[in-house]
Amino acid sequence: MRAPEELNEVDWAALEHAYGPAGDVPEMIRVLYAEESPETERGESVGEELINNLNHQGSLYPATVEAVPFLAHLALHVTWHREAVLDDP
């Protein structure tokens, strides 16, 4: 597991997720630590968008591998997002 304080240790911009460069991943993870029910501009929850970016239609991406330790930490420590993070899309 990796704590959110370690997010800047990953070169997210050099990684890809389903929709291109993964530079948005650390901020999405930070939002999940801070808020109980954040929504994106599209009205989705940030957790839902993050999981879709990292596991789109069953495909995994380089950013997925780097994000998993942070999502495991999140699921353990932030109960209000546990279901979204652990849900099988």
Side-chain angles (χ1 to χ4, degrees):
M1 283 190 290
R2 294 185 75 178
E5 296 81 20
E6 299 176 74
L7 282 164
N8 290 338
E9 295 175 14
V10 177
D11 185 4
W12 296 100
L15 300 172
E16 297 281 323
H17 61 45
Y19 299 101
D24 56 350
V25 170
E27 185 56 31
M28 291 169 141
I29 292 173
R30 285 184 186 100
V31 167
L32 292 175
Y33 273 95
E35 307 210 16
E36 288 196 36
S37 60
E39 289 189 1
T40 66
E41 291 177 10
R42 296 188 308 240
E44 294 178 294
S45 77
V46 171
E48 198 176 317
E49 181 177 355
L50 177 62
I51 298 304
N52 285 336
N53 289 353
L54 297 173
N55 181 13
H56 183 70
Q57 296 181 348
S59 296
L60 302 177
Y61 303 88
T64 308
V65 174
E66 292 292 335
V68 166
F70 295 103
L71 297 176
H73 187 276
L74 181 73
L76 182 64
H77 295 284
V78 183
T79 59
W80 55 84
H81 291 301
R82 186 172 290 146
E83 184 177 328
V85 171
L86 296 176
D87 189 26
D88 185 23

